[in-house]
């Protein structure tokens, strides 16, 4: 399995993917929010908390992979703004989770990054570009 897929599988696990969970019911392993961008990625509806609903697991998993890839390659505005504010040229794993799962949404991006990094055997300070080459 490639590193991008491993990364996304770790996100899926952290998000609580199991039969009956919100992520599972919505075919949304990354618990992505419903936005114009995620509609482009294949979300066709949303639930009562604005989480995307995908037609099947593969569509949801591929959307997560594309979001991570686009964030890594600075194709998403939120990640460009974050790196500019931090005066960085690329995002680390920790940077990614500070935007993806911000504390302002009652998340713990440090714990999230540590978990995913441990699943991949890397530091949470690794630049995602280095991880996915």
């Amino acid at each position: 399995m490639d590193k991008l897929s491993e990364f996304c599988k770790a996100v899926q696990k952290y998000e609580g993917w199991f039969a009956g969970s919100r992520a599972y019911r919505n075919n949304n392993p990354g618990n992505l929010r419903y936005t114009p961008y995620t509609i482009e990625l294949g979300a066709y509806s949303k639930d009562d908390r604005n989480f995307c609903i995908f037609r099947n697991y593969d569509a949801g998993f591929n959307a997560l992979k594309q979001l991570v890839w686009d964030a890594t390659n600075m194709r998403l505005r939120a990640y460009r703004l974050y790196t500019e504010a931090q005066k960085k040229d690329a995002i680390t794993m920790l940077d990614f989770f500070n935007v993806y799962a911000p504390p302002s949404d009652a998340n713990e991006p440090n714990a999230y990054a540590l978990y995913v990094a441990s699943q991949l055997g890397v530091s949470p300070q690794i630049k995602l570009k280095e991880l996915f080459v």
Side-chain angles (χ1 to χ4, degrees):
M1 183 182 316
D2 63 277
K3 287 291 184 189
L4 178 58
S5 293
E6 283 182 51
F7 181 95
C8 293
K9 287 287 188 181
V11 167
Q12 171 181 302
K13 194 171 178 182
Y14 191 86
E15 288 292 332
W17 177 268
F18 59 88
S21 70
R22 175 183 301 274
Y24 188 89
R25 288 190 313 270
N26 292 345
N27 292 312
N28 184 355
N31 274 327
L32 304 179
R33 296 288 185 162
Y34 192 72
T35 66
Y37 172 72
T38 56
I39 292 169
E40 287 179 25
L41 297 181
Y44 75 91
S45 189
K46 61 184 176 178
D47 69 11
D48 62 332
R49 293 195 44 218
N50 203 43
F51 288 99
C52 297
I53 300 174
F54 293 94
R55 297 211 181 276
N56 55 47
Y57 171 80
D58 287 341
F61 189 76
N62 288 332
L64 175 59
K65 283 177 63 174
Q66 189 64 54
L67 181 143
V68 173
W69 184 255
D70 287 348
T72 300
N73 291 290
M74 307 311 288
R75 294 184 183 138
L76 301 177
R77 184 174 185 266
Y79 293 91
R80 284 193 309 271
L81 292 174
Y82 183 87
T83 54
E84 287 170 12
Q86 300 293 316
K87 299 188 180 355
K88 295 182 174 186
D89 62 347
I91 60 170
T92 66
M93 187 179 295
L94 180 56
D95 295 332
F96 174 82
F97 288 111
N98 273 312
V99 175
Y100 183 81
S104 60
D105 284 351
N107 293 300
E108 297 180 24
N110 290 333
Y112 207 146
L114 284 168
Y115 175 81
V116 173
S118 73
Q119 295 294 298
L120 276 67
V122 298
S123 162
Q125 294 301 330
I126 191 169
K127 289 182 179 177
L128 291 187
K129 279 187 173 188
E130 294 172 11
L131 183 61
F132 301 142
V133 255

